[in-house]
């Protein structure tokens, strides 16, 4: 389908992944097969709102340029997925690529088999492969049963299914299989604190991170949380915890381990404008850039865009060191655009807050500020003044972030029309959505508050449309 009708849309992202039209939510089943990356996603092919869930499908050789293929899975009338093909994963099972997903009403787990090139799909005649959750978990009712995430161990396949225990906490139920078709329930992998991570975990993701650590990420109807910890005897003991992204737009991340051993994850970047605006636009949602997760030497989670994102870089500009006096915006005359990557390093010096403004209007009336606050140890994207349109929510995307003494602030910022992604020192991320009303919201500025800071260097690139 041609996307020509969106050519003048000022808000549609140009290098973030999204379908040719209509609705996208969760990424599903990323997999590398025969040198190609396949990405699936929750898709409503008929409207720019959630409903009639299909698995959309795209293929790429470099994780950034995608060719759209016909949807891989659609609801089958009368089948266990008649009311929607919900989220899941994909694996190569003894030479047969297989999709593992949830059918709904009631929630049941299903599989589909693909041809060797992953261009044709056929649902397994024995579906559902897991007809129902255990009647109760630890003597209590469960809160949901969906979004299988599988991996292989020496003795066979394991899978987590997102769930929760009423009055107790969110959980991921662990299953085991030899053939991906017959699954045996084991037990909850771990159970969360209901006050921190609710009583339902959607879209569990579980990676062996090396260094004898595993990562569990879950989407608890709030910003996705990750746990790093030890996995032994089929139980997981969290040791560290954090938000995968501080942005309120980021949800339902999933990922896979590619042939190079990289743990690669996408999340859904939800819209922040009302349903009428989404319908009028003819599209809704996009995915984050593919992010590589690994461990810093000190054991903290390291997050950065995959290196292939650099393939998008076009015209480059560089700025040398300069002081940033407090209280005024220092507009960067040579650097303008709505489709940019900016890499900047700052010394905090005496400032209480330092960072950048992007999507800044000529007259300064609309602006999105990306700031590190050394006074209260926070990183944030302030969207309160991003748009004069009352139908788009502003909001503050903020999370805890502290620099060590003398450590510079290293920001990597991706501006893609309405999609903004910020990476700080490869250990914190913020995704936001902004809808400036003025076409001249293309400026970039430096800013400091409460004292002077210093720009050590800044590089900016125009990024190509994919
Ligand atoms: N989205 C899917 C579900 C999942 C939720 C439905 C998370 O499978 O739990 O579109 O956004």
């Amino acid at each position: 389908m041609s996307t020509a009708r969106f050519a003048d849309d000022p808000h549609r992202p140009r290098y973030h992944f999204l379908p040719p039209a209509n609705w996208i939510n969760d990424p599903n089943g990323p997999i590398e097969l025969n040198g190609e990356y396949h990405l699936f996603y929750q898709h409503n092919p008929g409207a720019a709102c959630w409903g009639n869930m299909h698995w959309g499908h795209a293929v790429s050789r470099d994780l950034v340029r995608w060719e759209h293929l016909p949807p891989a899975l659609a609801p089958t009338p009368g089948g266990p997925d008649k009311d929607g093909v919900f989220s899941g994963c994909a694996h190569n099972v003894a030479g047969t690529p297989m999709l593992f997903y949830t059918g709904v009403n009631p929630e049941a787990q299903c599989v589909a088999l693909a041809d060797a090139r992953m261009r044709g799909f056929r649902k397994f005649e024995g579906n559902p492969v897991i007809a129902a959750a255990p009647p109760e978990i630890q003597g209590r009712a469960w809160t949901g049963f969906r979004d299988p995430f599988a991996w292989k161990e020496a003795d066979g396949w394991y899978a987590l299914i997102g769930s929760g225990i009423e009055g107790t906490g969110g959980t991921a139920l662990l299953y085991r299989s030899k053939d991906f078709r017959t699954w045996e329930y084991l037990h909850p992998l771990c159970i969360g604190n209901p006050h921190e991570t609710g009583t339902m975990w959607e879209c569990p993701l579980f990676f062996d991170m090396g260094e004898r650590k595993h990562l569990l990420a879950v989407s608890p109807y709030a910003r996705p949380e990750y746990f790093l910890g030890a996995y032994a005897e089929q139980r997981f003991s969290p040791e560290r915890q954090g938000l995968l992204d501080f942005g309120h737009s980021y949800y339902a991340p999933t990922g896979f381990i590619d042939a190079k051993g990289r743990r690669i994850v996408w999340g859904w970047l939800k819209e922040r404008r009302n349903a009428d605006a989404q319908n009028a636009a003819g599209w809704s949602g996009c995915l984050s850039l593919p992010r590589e997760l690994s461990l810093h030497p000190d054991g903290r989670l390291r997050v950065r865009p995959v290196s292939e994102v650099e393939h998008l870089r076009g015209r480059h500009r560089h700025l040398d060191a300069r002081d940033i006096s407090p209280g005024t915006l220092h507009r960067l005359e040579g650097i303008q655009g709505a489709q940019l990557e900016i890499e900047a390093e700052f010394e905090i010096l005496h400032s209480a807050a330092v960072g950048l403004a992007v999507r800044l209007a000529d007259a300064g009336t609309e602006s999105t500020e990306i700031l590190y606050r050394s006074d209260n140890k926070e990183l944030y994207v302030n969207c309160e003044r991003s748009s004069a349109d009352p139908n788009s929510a502003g909001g503050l995307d903020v999370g805890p972030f502290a620099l060590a003494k003398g450590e510079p602030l290293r920001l990597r910022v991706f501006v893609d029309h309405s999609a903004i992604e910020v990476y700080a020192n490869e250990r914190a991320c913020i995704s936001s959505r902004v809808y400036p009303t003025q076409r001249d919201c293309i400026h970039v500025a430096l800013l400091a508050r409460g004292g002077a800071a210093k720009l050590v260097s800044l590089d900016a690139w125009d990024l190509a449309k994919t």
Side-chain angles (χ1 to χ4, degrees):
M1 186 194 280
S2 161
T3 57
R5 68 184 164 119
F6 300 122
D8 290 329
D9 185 326
H11 301 307
R12 187 172 161 91
R14 302 301 201 274
Y15 61 85
H16 281 75
F17 179 86
L18 76 181
N22 293 320
W23 171 269
I24 180 172
N25 58 296
D26 316 348
N28 292 150
I31 184 171
E32 184 174 2
L33 207 67
N34 313 320
E36 290 182 321
Y37 294 105
H38 293 259
L39 181 59
F40 302 89
Y41 54 92
Q42 290 287 281
H43 182 42
N44 180 350
C49 59
W50 188 89
N52 190 21
M53 296 323 295
H54 286 54
W55 272 37
H57 183 195
V59 64
S60 169
R61 291 205 168 262
D62 67 358
L63 296 166
V64 289
R65 294 189 171 85
W66 294 91
E67 178 196 342
H68 292 288
L69 297 174
L73 298 176
T76 296
D81 58 16
K82 62 183 186 326
D83 288 327
V85 181
F86 277 24
S87 289
C89 62
H91 279 283
N92 187 352
V93 181
T96 302
M98 292 180 69
L99 311 182
F100 193 12
Y101 65 92
T102 302
V104 291
N105 291 334
E107 289 170 319
Q109 315 315 320
C110 300
V111 299
L113 286 65
D115 61 39
R117 290 191 60 237
M118 249 192 165
R119 297 303 195 273
F121 301 86
R122 140 179 104 73
K123 290 180 187 169
F124 178 50
E125 54 284 357
N127 277 339
V129 292
I130 309 176
E136 47 185 35
I137 309 163
Q138 299 192 343
R140 289 180 179 236
W142 45 267
T143 55
F145 184 59
R146 57 182 177 272
D147 311 334
F149 183 91
W151 68 95
K152 199 169 183 193
E153 293 189 23
D155 64 346
W157 292 97
Y158 285 79
L160 292 177
I161 299 177
S163 188
I165 311 172
E166 244 174 41
T168 304
T171 192
L173 303 177
L174 185 63
Y175 283 75
R176 179 166 60 191
S177 173
K178 288 279 176 223
D179 61 1
F180 225 82
R181 294 163 177 83
T182 307
W183 291 88
E184 171 200 3
Y185 172 61
L186 298 178
H187 48 250
L189 181 74
C190 63
I191 298 170
N193 175 339
H195 306 294
E196 289 180 359
T197 55
T199 55
M200 173 60 201
W201 286 354
E202 297 188 300
C203 300
L205 171 163
F206 195 53
F207 281 158
D208 182 345
M209 300 296 289
E211 312 292 329
R212 309 174 85 162
K213 297 292 176 223
H214 273 68
L215 175 131
L216 172 69
V218 299
S219 292
Y221 297 148
R223 294 179 294 177
E225 199 91 24
Y226 72 85
F227 306 91
L228 283 169
Y231 174 57
E233 289 164 13
Q234 294 147 8
R235 309 238 175 212
F236 178 65
S237 314
E239 294 158 359
R240 285 170 188 264
Q241 186 177 342
L243 290 169
L244 266 187
D245 189 301
F246 300 155
H248 290 90
S249 298
Y250 185 86
Y251 199 66
T254 197
F256 74 117
I257 302 182
D258 82 347
K260 298 190 185 106
R262 298 182 296 177
R263 287 112 183 133
I264 299 172
V265 169
W266 289 260
W268 166 33
L269 303 190
K270 305 180 198 187
E271 298 299 320
R272 284 194 204 172
R273 47 184 180 166
N274 67 17
D276 287 347
Q278 296 173 44
N279 278 321
W283 60 274
S284 176
C286 67
L287 299 187
S288 67
L289 294 171
R291 297 177 180 172
E292 183 181 353
L293 304 184
S294 57
L295 297 179
H296 281 288
D298 64 8
R300 285 188 286 190
L301 187 66
R302 181 179 193 193
V303 191
R304 54 193 163 152
V306 297
S307 58
E308 289 90 333
V309 168
E310 293 169 25
H311 298 171
L312 300 174
R313 287 175 176 173
R315 189 166 69 102
H316 172 234
R317 280 134 294 165
H318 172 81
L319 296 182
D320 288 323
R322 63 195 59 189
D323 294 331
I324 311 173
S325 55
T328 112
L329 284 177
H330 302 266
R331 202 192 271 191
L332 303 175
E333 289 311 332
I335 300 173
Q336 297 182 340
Q339 216 171 297
L340 292 173
E341 178 187 349
I342 302 161
E343 199 165 28
E345 185 171 321
F346 301 88
E347 276 177 33
I348 309 308
L349 300 183
H350 311 291
S351 61
V354 62
L356 294 165
V358 298
R359 304 280 356 233
L360 170 66
D362 235 357
T365 44
E366 292 178 312
S367 162
T368 299
E369 289 183 357
I370 300 157
L371 283 179
Y372 167 59
R373 286 192 54 170
S374 51
D375 52 355
N376 51 2
K377 311 267 182 277
E378 281 176 350
L379 183 76
Y380 68 82
V381 177
N382 185 349
C383 307
E384 298 292 356
R385 291 185 58 244
S386 298
S387 175
D389 177 357
N391 294 325
S392 33
L396 198 63
D397 293 312
V398 57
F401 179 77
L403 292 173
K405 204 168 170 20
E407 183 185 7
L409 172 68
R410 284 192 295 271
L411 290 182
R412 216 169 144 193
V413 176
F414 292 87
V415 176
D416 188 7
H417 301 266
S418 61
I420 308 284
E421 285 191 58
V422 176
Y423 298 77
N425 294 45
E426 296 190 340
R427 63 172 190 264
C429 295
I430 306 183
S431 303
S432 300
R433 301 297 305 275
V434 300
Y435 308 90
T437 59
Q438 292 160 59
R439 292 268 172 173
D440 62 18
C441 283
I442 53 170
H443 300 286
V444 177
L446 304 173
L447 70 137
R449 297 215 171 98
K454 183 176 170 186
L455 178 76
V456 179
S457 69
L458 184 146
D459 292 275
W461 295 265
D462 295 335
L463 292 197
K465 175 179 182 305
T466 55

